[in-house]
Amino acid sequence: MTRISSSRPVSSGAVGEPATRRTRRSSRDEGVWYPRWFWPSFSAPSTIVLLLLFVFPFYVIVGVAFGKLDPIFGDPIPVWNPAQWDRAALSFTLSNIVSSDGLYHAALIRTLWFVTGATALCLLVGYPFAYFLARHSGRFKPVFLAAFFAPFLISYMMRMTAWVNLLQDNGYVNQVLRWLGIMDTPYSWLSGKSLTVILGLVYGYVPLMVLPLYAALDRIPQSNLEASRDLGASPTSTFFRVTLPASGQAILAGVILCGLAMFGDYFTNQLLAGTTGTRMIGNWVVDSLASPLQVPRGATLALLLTLLLIPPILYYLRSSRRASRGVVA
Amino acid sequence: MTAAVAPDPGVAAHGRRRIRDLVANPWGKPRFLWAYALLFVAWTLIPIVLAILFSFNPGRALSAFQGFSLRWYIGDPNESVLHDPALRRAVVQSLKLAVGTALITVPLGVSFAVGMDRWKGRGSGTTDFIMMFSFVVPELIVAVALFLVFTKSFTFVGLGTSGQLLGMIVLSIAFVVVIVRARLLSLGREYEEVAMDLGASPFQALRRVLLPLLFPATLACTAMLFVFTLDDFVIANTLSRDVATETISVKIWAARGTPTPVVNALGSTMLFAATIVVVLAYLLFRRLTRGESGERSVGLPIA
Amino acid sequence: MSRHSEFGRSGLSRREFLRRAGITGVALPSLAAILAACKDSSSSTTVATASGQSNPYGSGGVSGAPYPLARTDAPVTWNISDDNQPIASDLAPEAGATLKIFNWGYYLKPKIMRDFEDTYDCKVELTDYSDVPSAFQKLRSGQVDFDVMFGHTPDYMGKMVAAKFLMPLNRDYLPNFTANVWDQFKSPFYDVEARYSVPYTVSTTGIFWRNDLVDADIAGMENPYDVFWQDPPKGKTHLLRNRDPLAMAMMRKGLTDINTGDPAVIQQAHDDLLEVVNAVNPKWDNDDYTELPQGQAWLHQSWSGNALDAYVFYLQPGQGPEIFSYVWPPAVDPSVPGLVGNDLIGVLTTGKNPVLAHMFVDQMYDVATAQDNFATYTGFQPPLTAINPDGLVADGIVPPNLASTIVKEEDFAKGLQLVELAPEVQALWDDAYQQLQAGV
C-alpha cells in the first residue's frame, strides 16, 4: 500500500536545528522535529487493544473451527497448533455451502440477494434525502438533521418492533392501504415474506447510507455547481457530471457500510419473518453458538464469511485512501 | 442554483422551460425534493411516534391506541419499567455500558488518530488497515470471536459487563478515529507549527493547541458513542451473562414473542436518555465553537 | 452382570461384546443403542457401558452415553457423589441474598418473585433462556451463578447430572412438594426417588388453532396430524422446534417409538415435514400464545399450556376464548399416538444460596401459589393433587372449549414421552431438524 510521501522524524534535536539526516520530506514538516517514538506511542494503546481483542480473537475462531469436541458434552476445545487441526468442520461447512442442497447454501445466496437489493434500495431512497439535506434544506437544516438523527437515538430493536406492530394483519399499515383502496384483503406482511425483510433492512440501515452521502454532498462547493451551469450545462447534466462523481467515494462508502452491516444481520429477519424461506447466513452463525456440537461449524462459517468480505473491504480501503489524498481540505 | 443569464423569452416559454426542467431533472426543483424529504422523515419517524404512543396503553394490546396510562412506566407494581427489577437493571446496564464505552474509547481513539496522522513509519499502514477493518467487519463476527475468546481463552474477563464493555470499545475505536482524523485533516499542521515556532515543546503544542482544537470533535464523538452504544444489540446479547447484564436492546429482543407495551416504555425511556445527552452535547458544542468561523471544512490560512 | 467394558479403545469390539451378550441372554439395549454402538468407534465420542450396569453417574437406564439414559421401562437412579452432597437440614435461609433463577421467558409470575422477596428479605432475579440446549450451553460456560433452574426437561437429566449442575435435593426443605405432588412424580423413571428434580408443569403436545379462521374440523379427523399435510393455511402455520415436529411426523404414521435412532425413520420424518415446509413455509417457535390471538398464526403445533395461555395472558380486546381450539389426538382416539410430558425444577450447584433455592422451589408447591401461577400467568398446569383436573372448568379457570388442554394423571399412561438420547442419535435428530430449517 503506497502512502503519501513524508519526512521521517529525525533524531531528537532542539526545535529549529537543521536536520542532519533526512529523507524526502513534505513542506509541512519543515522545521518541526519529534522523537521517532513520539507518534507511534500515541497509537500504542489502541493498537494493543485492537491486537488483543480484534486480531487475536480471529485466531481463536480459527482454533475453534479446527478444534476438537469434548467427549462427554460436546463442548468445543480450541486447538492452537496448526499441525493438529481437524478439518472435519471445515469440510462439512464447505460442502454445505457449495452443494445446492447444503444447509448453508440457500441462506448464503439469499443473503447476497437481500443485501444487494436492500443496499441498492438504500441508495435510491437515501440519496435524494441526503441531497436535499445538503443543498436545499436552507434554514430548516438543523430541523431535518435532527429528524434524520433521531432514529439513531432509538434502539434498532425498538424501531423494528414498532414495525412489527404496524405490519400485523389488522395493523395500521394494512388499514391505511385499505383506506387508500390499494388492497382489499389484508396482506400478511409478517408471514415469512422476503419483501418485508428487505424493506426492514432498508429501514434499519438507510441512515448509514445517508450519513456519508450527506457529508460528501455538503462539501461540494456551491461554486463548482455554479461554474458548471455557467458553462452551459443543464441541471440534469450538472447533476450527472459534477454532483454524482463528486459523491462517488461517498456512495462507495455508504454501500460498503450498509452492505457489510447487513451481512451480519440476523435479528431483522427473526423479527419480521423468522421462517425457513427468509433465513440468512447470520442466523446460522448465531444459532450454532447455542448448541455445543455445532460451535466449530459456526466458527468456520464466521471465518469463511470474513474471508468472503475481505475483497470488498480492501477495495473500499484502497479507494478511500486514494480519495483522501486528493481531498481538498 | 443561479439561473443562467438569458434574454426573457416570454411567459409561455418560461412555463415550458419550468416543466421541462422539472421533468428533465427532478432533483433540480426543490419542490419535489421537499415533498420527498418530508415523506422520508415521516416514514422514518412515524413508527417511532406510534411506538411511543402505544407505550401509554393501559392494556396489553399493541394494535391500537387505547387511552393514556403510565402503567408500563411506573404504574404496574410487577411489570413496569420502574418496578420490574430486570427492566430497571437493563436501563442501568445500558447506561453503564454507554458511559463506560464513551469515556474509554474517546481518549483511545483520539490518541490513535493523532498518532496515525503523523506516524509515517513502518507499520502504520498495517495498523491503519486493522483499525479500518474493525470498522467495516460485521458486528456479528466480532461478537462471535469475542464470545469464544472470553469463554475459552481470556476467561478471567468472561462474559458479562467487562466482556460487553471490551467488545464495544473495540468496535468503537474506529468510529472515533474516522471522525477525529477528518477533523485533523481540516486543521492541518499549521497551529502546532506556529506554537512551536513560538517556543513550545512538542508536548506543549499538543496539549495546549491541538487538543483544545480537537475538543469539539471529541465532544461530538463522546455524545455519538454514548448514543450508539446505548442501543447496541449484537455485542450486548452475545456477551451477556445473565439478566443483570442484559441491556435494553436485549430485553426488547427477548420480548419479541410476547410484546407488551412495557417494551415500548423501555425503548422510550432510552430515547429520553439519549435525547438529553445529545441536546446537552449540542449546546456545549455550540458554546465551544462560537468563536470559530462557520464552515468546518476550511482550514485557516496562515500568514 | 457386573462386567464393565470400554469399547473402541481396547479389548472387545462392540459387535463382539453384543454378540456375546446376546448369547448369554443379557437384556439388550434398545435398537437405538445397538445402532449407535455399531458405528465406527473413531467417530464416537462417548464411552458406553452395558445396560443395567452401575455407572459413575447412576444405575439403571440404557447405554449409549457416558451417563445412563433413562427410559420409561428402564428407570435411572442417579448417584449422589461425595463432592455433590445435599445441604444439611435446618439451615437458616441466606440473608441479604440475591436469588438467581434461570427459566424460560414469561414462565413464572413476577408477583411470586416479588412476594418471595418480601417474605425472605432477599432479591430475586430471573434470567431467561430461549430453549434448553442454549440454556445448557450457558451453564457449561462456567461463568454463571444461577441458583434455581426451571423448565428443563427429562431428556437433559443425564447431562445435567453428569456435568454436576444439579444439587441433590434435601426433602426436609420441601414439605409442600411431598404433600402435594402427584404420586407418579415422587419417583419418576428419569430420576428414581426424585433425588435431583421436581416437576414444574405437565403438558400434552397437540394441535392448537383458531376455529374462526380455520375451517377444518381437526378434532373430528381420523388422524388430526394430517391437517398439517392437507392444505394448511399458507404463511399461518407454525411448528414447534427441535424434536417435537419430527416426532409428530412419526406419530402421524402411527409409529410409537419416537425416541428412535433408526436413521431411516428419522429421514422419513424429515422428508414428510419437508413437504410441509415447501408447501407453507412455516415458522418454528413456541410463541403460539401470542401469535394466535394476534392472528399471526392460525394453526400451530402446541403444548397444551400455551393453548390455555392464549386465553389467560394475551386475549386481544374484543376476543373471547371460544375462537380457540386445542386437540390432543389420544384423548379423542386412543389409537393415534400423542406426546405427553413434564418439565422440571432443579437446584443448581452453581448458585450461592441453596437454602433459599430450596425454599423457592417448595413454595411453587404451595397450592395457592401454584394455582395463581397457572391460572393467571403461564397457563401450564402444575401436577398437584389439590388441583383437580375435573374441577378446573367448573371453577372457571379453564374455559369449556379449552377443556382439552387439561392434563390428567392417566394421560401419562396414554401418551408417549420424549426421553434422553445417545449423543449420536441426538446428532441425527439435530441434523434432520437443521435440514428442515434450511429447507433441504
Side-chain angles (χ1 to χ4, degrees):
Chain A
M1 245 183 273
T2 57
R3 290 177 293 104
I4 305 173
S5 69
S6 58
S7 73
R8 293 185 175 279
V10 200
S11 55
S12 64
V15 171
E17 240 184 43
T20 45
R21 282 178 298 129
R22 70 176 84 136
T23 48
R24 304 161 294 180
R25 57 177 185 163
S26 72
S27 57
R28 278 190 169 194
D29 274 18
E30 207 167 73
V32 176
W33 313 124
Y34 293 96
R36 177 174 290 209
W37 50 264
F38 190 68
W39 294 122
S41 68
F42 272 78
S43 308
S46 294
T47 314
I48 295 176
V49 168
L50 282 174
L51 279 176
L52 280 178
L53 294 175
F54 185 70
V55 179
F56 173 64
F58 275 98
Y59 195 67
V60 177
I61 293 189
V62 171
V64 169
F66 293 111
K68 303 195 301 258
L69 288 177
D70 173 270
I72 300 188
F73 298 107
D75 295 342
I77 301 174
V79 167
W80 307 112
N81 182 354
Q84 297 167 336
W85 280 351
D86 174 2
R87 299 215 185 82
L90 178 65
S91 51
F92 179 88
T93 310
L94 276 178
S95 66
N96 272 290
I97 289 182
V98 168
S99 73
S100 63
D101 62 347
L103 282 180
Y104 313 127
H105 177 85
L108 189 58
I109 306 278
R110 188 181 302 125
T111 309
L112 285 168
W113 275 121
F114 279 7
V115 170
T116 317
T119 310
L121 266 181
C122 272
L123 187 58
L124 278 176
V125 167
Y127 197 102
F129 182 72
Y131 189 80
F132 169 85
L133 200 55
R135 314 219 66 91
H136 290 287
S137 48
R139 46 199 169 99
F140 292 103
K141 198 175 209 172
V143 176
F144 277 100
L145 269 177
F148 161 70
F149 196 63
F152 282 119
L153 298 182
I154 301 150
S155 161
Y156 182 98
M157 279 301 140
M158 168 92 156
R159 290 190 279 148
M160 279 309 147
T161 318
W163 272 108
V164 171
N165 285 333
L166 295 177
L167 291 173
Q168 299 281 352
D169 282 6
N170 56 352
Y172 282 158
V173 168
N174 276 340
Q175 287 181 29
V176 165
L177 287 175
R178 197 159 356 143
W179 179 72
L180 286 177
I182 299 183
M183 12 179 111
D184 282 324
T185 50
Y187 183 69
S188 309
W189 294 97
L190 298 170
S191 299
K193 300 284 195 289
S194 300
L195 178 66
T196 314
V197 177
I198 293 182
L199 290 178
L201 286 172
V202 171
Y203 183 79
Y205 293 98
V206 79
L208 278 182
M209 176 68 78
V210 171
L211 204 57
L213 285 177
Y214 164 71
L217 288 168
D218 195 40
R219 234 185 297 163
I220 300 178
Q222 181 72 355
S223 47
N224 284 15
L225 297 169
E226 289 178 8
S228 159
R229 293 299 300 279
D230 286 344
L231 289 171
S234 68
T236 327
S237 200
T238 308
F239 176 74
F240 280 107
R241 299 176 71 176
V242 179
T243 317
L244 204 50
S247 51
Q249 184 58 27
I251 293 180
L252 181 66
V255 163
I256 292 285
L257 278 179
C258 268
L260 257 49
M262 284 183 199
F263 232 95
D265 185 301
Y266 61 94
F267 34 91
T268 309
N269 156 52
Q270 274 298 110
L271 284 173
L272 295 175
T275 61
T276 304
T278 53
R279 209 168 158 83
M280 293 174 73
I281 200 73
N283 292 108
W284 283 112
V285 176
V286 96
D287 284 353
S288 73
L289 275 193
S291 169
L293 285 169
Q294 294 170 17
V295 173
R297 293 182 196 167
T300 316
L301 257 186
L303 212 54
L304 291 173
L305 257 186
T306 316
L307 288 176
L308 181 69
L309 295 177
I310 283 186
I313 294 179
L314 273 182
Y315 177 71
Y316 165 68
L317 290 179
R318 276 222 349 241
S319 85
S320 72
R321 279 181 162 261
R322 245 184 280 134
S324 72
R325 268 185 241 152
V327 148
V328 175
Chain B
M1 297 181 226
T2 56
V5 177
D8 184 356
V11 173
H14 245 296
R16 278 198 302 277
R17 178 133 150 282
R18 282 181 67 176
I19 294 175
R20 193 199 68 209
D21 277 350
L22 184 71
V23 168
N25 182 12
W27 314 134
K29 286 297 177 189
R31 222 170 299 119
F32 173 87
L33 273 184
W34 262 94
Y36 185 88
L38 287 172
L39 220 78
F40 185 94
V41 169
W43 170 64
T44 314
L45 291 184
I46 284 184
I48 297 159
V49 168
L50 284 175
I52 299 178
L53 270 180
F54 286 154
S55 72
F56 295 110
N57 263 0
R60 277 215 177 102
L62 281 173
S63 43
F65 188 54
Q66 290 170 319
F68 186 86
S69 138
L70 286 178
R71 172 183 176 187
W72 302 104
Y73 286 93
I74 54 183
D76 192 302
N78 289 311
E79 295 183 48
S80 61
V81 176
L82 183 65
H83 286 107
D84 186 342
L87 299 179
R88 242 184 5 239
R89 282 300 206 71
V91 175
V92 168
Q93 181 74 2
S94 292
L95 289 173
K96 247 202 298 194
L97 286 176
V99 171
T101 307
L103 290 182
I104 297 179
T105 314
V106 171
L108 278 177
V110 169
S111 65
F112 187 89
V114 170
M116 285 307 298
D117 190 55
R118 283 102 208 277
W119 174 23
K120 305 296 179 201
R122 248 186 302 252
S124 73
T126 321
T127 318
D128 194 40
F129 172 75
I130 295 176
M131 191 273 306
M132 283 309 291
F133 196 80
S134 79
F135 190 56
V136 281
V137 78
E139 199 177 349
L140 175 61
I141 309 245
V142 179
V144 167
L146 286 178
F147 176 82
L148 292 173
V149 167
F150 291 147
T151 50
K152 302 263 166 248
S153 306
F154 296 159
T155 44
F156 57 89
V157 175
L159 303 175
T161 309
S162 25
Q164 291 168 318
L165 192 62
L166 288 174
M168 292 183 190
I169 289 175
V170 166
L171 282 178
S172 310
I173 292 182
F175 178 76
V176 177
V177 170
V178 166
I179 292 193
V180 172
R181 194 184 269 180
R183 175 66 166 152
L184 282 173
L185 206 62
S186 69
L187 279 178
R189 233 41 97 68
E190 293 86 4
Y191 295 100
E192 290 158 83
E193 291 176 1
V194 166
M196 283 188 283
D197 284 348
L198 291 173
S201 74
F203 282 115
Q204 282 177 319
L206 202 66
R207 193 165 61 83
R208 301 183 65 177
V209 176
L210 187 60
L211 286 185
L213 279 175
L214 280 179
F215 193 69
T218 312
L219 184 67
C221 281
T222 315
M224 289 172 84
L225 265 189
F226 175 86
V227 164
F228 288 148
T229 315
L230 202 60
D231 119 52
D232 179 273
F233 171 68
V234 179
I235 292 268
N237 192 31
T238 317
L239 296 176
S240 73
R241 187 183 62 219
D242 55 18
V243 74
T245 52
E246 286 177 3
T247 61
I248 295 179
S249 294
V250 176
K251 293 309 274 185
I252 298 181
W253 165 257
R256 70 190 180 285
T258 318
T260 53
V262 74
V263 162
N264 300 30
L266 204 55
S268 308
T269 313
M270 188 160 86
L271 170 61
F272 186 59
T275 311
I276 291 183
V277 165
V278 167
V279 167
L280 283 177
Y282 180 70
L283 290 176
L284 198 54
F285 186 91
R286 284 284 294 267
R287 181 164 258 273
L288 287 171
T289 55
R290 231 176 1 191
E292 269 189 51
S293 71
E295 298 299 305
R296 282 181 279 147
S297 53
V298 180
L300 291 175
I302 297 291
Chain C
M1 275 198 10
S2 55
R3 257 203 298 167
H4 177 101
S5 333
E6 276 198 13
F7 297 103
R9 311 265 165 92
S10 59
L12 297 169
S13 73
R14 268 172 219 217
R15 279 198 187 84
E16 218 11 49
F17 174 81
L18 287 167
R19 194 175 67 82
R20 293 183 191 200
I23 290 170
T24 55
V26 169
L28 286 177
S30 70
L31 184 65
I34 291 179
L35 283 171
C38 283
K39 274 182 72 154
D40 180 20
S41 60
S42 63
S43 68
S44 157
T45 54
T46 65
V47 174
T49 60
S51 88
Q53 293 309 300
S54 356
N55 173 292
Y57 302 111
S59 55
V62 299
S63 62
Y67 36 83
L69 299 171
R71 294 286 178 272
T72 43
D73 55 359
V76 170
T77 312
W78 299 105
N79 293 344
I80 297 185
S81 60
D82 294 330
D83 57 352
N84 189 10
Q85 290 283 312
I87 53 174
S89 306
D90 295 320
L91 295 173
E94 296 85 358
T98 303
L99 188 69
K100 301 194 182 181
I101 302 183
F102 199 31
N103 193 358
W104 296 76
Y106 299 95
Y107 202 40
L108 176 62
K109 187 164 178 163
K111 183 169 180 302
I112 296 177
M113 294 188 279
R114 306 285 87 78
D115 290 346
F116 189 84
E117 284 177 340
D118 293 334
T119 316
Y120 289 96
D121 190 31
C122 63
K123 288 203 174 341
V124 179
E125 264 180 22
L126 184 131
T127 304
D128 57 51
Y129 59 84
S130 55
D131 52 63
V132 181
S134 55
F136 185 73
Q137 169 88 317
K138 195 142 226 184
L139 290 172
R140 286 290 296 165
S141 77
Q143 301 188 357
V144 291
D145 54 355
F146 302 123
D147 294 293
V148 187
M149 182 159 176
F150 278 73
H152 53 294
T153 38
D155 64 346
Y156 261 76
M157 274 303 289
K159 302 187 229 327
M160 298 281 283
V161 171
K164 294 216 169 65
F165 290 145
L166 291 175
M167 184 189 289
L169 299 167
N170 182 334
R171 206 49 68 74
D172 293 341
Y173 292 101
L174 304 174
N176 281 332
F177 165 75
T178 317
N180 294 333
V181 78
W182 285 2
D183 259 339
Q184 67 186 88
F185 289 113
K186 294 204 168 118
S187 194
F189 71 92
Y190 52 83
D191 186 12
V192 169
E193 289 171 25
R195 292 181 175 183
Y196 284 94
S197 69
V198 294
Y200 182 36
T201 67
V202 291
S203 59
T204 55
T205 306
I207 306 173
F208 181 37
W209 74 97
R210 286 276 298 263
N211 52 41
D212 56 338
L213 295 167
V214 177
D215 287 328
D217 175 23
I218 302 175
M221 287 169 77
E222 234 185 82
N223 188 344
Y225 299 122
D226 275 333
V227 71
F228 288 97
W229 279 262
Q230 290 165 3
D231 221 15
K234 199 164 166 33
K236 296 291 187 188
T237 306
H238 294 193
L239 294 168
L240 289 171
R241 293 183 285 165
N242 298 311
R243 290 174 63 189
D244 282 300
L246 289 163
M248 177 173 81
M250 291 177 188
M251 292 188 296
R252 171 182 170 240
K253 293 268 169 77
L255 301 171
T256 50
D257 181 14
I258 40 109
N259 296 298
T260 179
D262 184 347
V265 174
I266 299 175
Q267 182 66 33
Q268 182 61 46
H270 158 272
D271 294 340
D272 291 341
L273 279 171
L274 197 56
E275 285 175 38
V276 180
V277 169
N278 291 333
V280 292
N281 192 21
K283 200 165 166 184
W284 312 85
D285 64 43
N286 45 272
D287 297 327
D288 32 1
Y289 57 106
T290 56
E291 287 169 348
L292 267 85
Q294 289 183 308
Q296 255 179 279
W298 295 355
L299 176 68
H300 209 303
Q301 182 195 17
S302 290
W303 299 315
S304 54
N306 272 341
L308 184 61
D309 208 27
Y311 158 73
V312 163
F313 188 78
Y314 217 71
L315 222 47
Q316 299 289 291
Q319 282 181 341
E322 60 281 349
I323 55 176
F324 301 114
S325 294
Y326 176 81
V327 70
W328 187 49
V332 173
D333 177 0
S335 69
V336 182
L339 287 178
V340 68
N342 62 291
D343 55 15
L344 306 168
I345 315 179
V347 173
L348 295 174
T349 54
T350 51
K352 301 195 179 63
N353 311 296
V355 180
L356 273 179
H358 277 81
M359 291 174 161
F360 194 91
V361 172
D362 195 50
Q363 63 139 19
M364 297 311 301
Y365 283 86
D366 168 63
V367 181
T369 312
Q371 180 135 318
D372 191 35
N373 196 23
F374 160 48
T376 63
Y377 197 77
T378 68
F380 278 83
Q381 190 180 330
L384 269 61
T385 47
I387 298 181
N388 180 6
D390 297 317
L392 286 173
V393 177
D395 291 341
I397 293 177
V398 178
N401 70 308
L402 285 176
S404 46
T405 63
I406 299 174
V407 183
K408 306 188 181 49
E409 289 190 61
E410 48 270 25
D411 288 338
F412 275 80
K414 274 191 236 166
L416 305 167
Q417 300 191 51
L418 290 173
V419 294
E420 192 158 15
L421 299 172
E424 298 94 10
V425 178
Q426 181 70 46
L428 288 175
W429 284 75
D430 287 342
D431 283 344
Y433 177 63
Q434 276 202 307
Q435 287 167 7
L436 288 169
Q437 279 189 302
V440 294

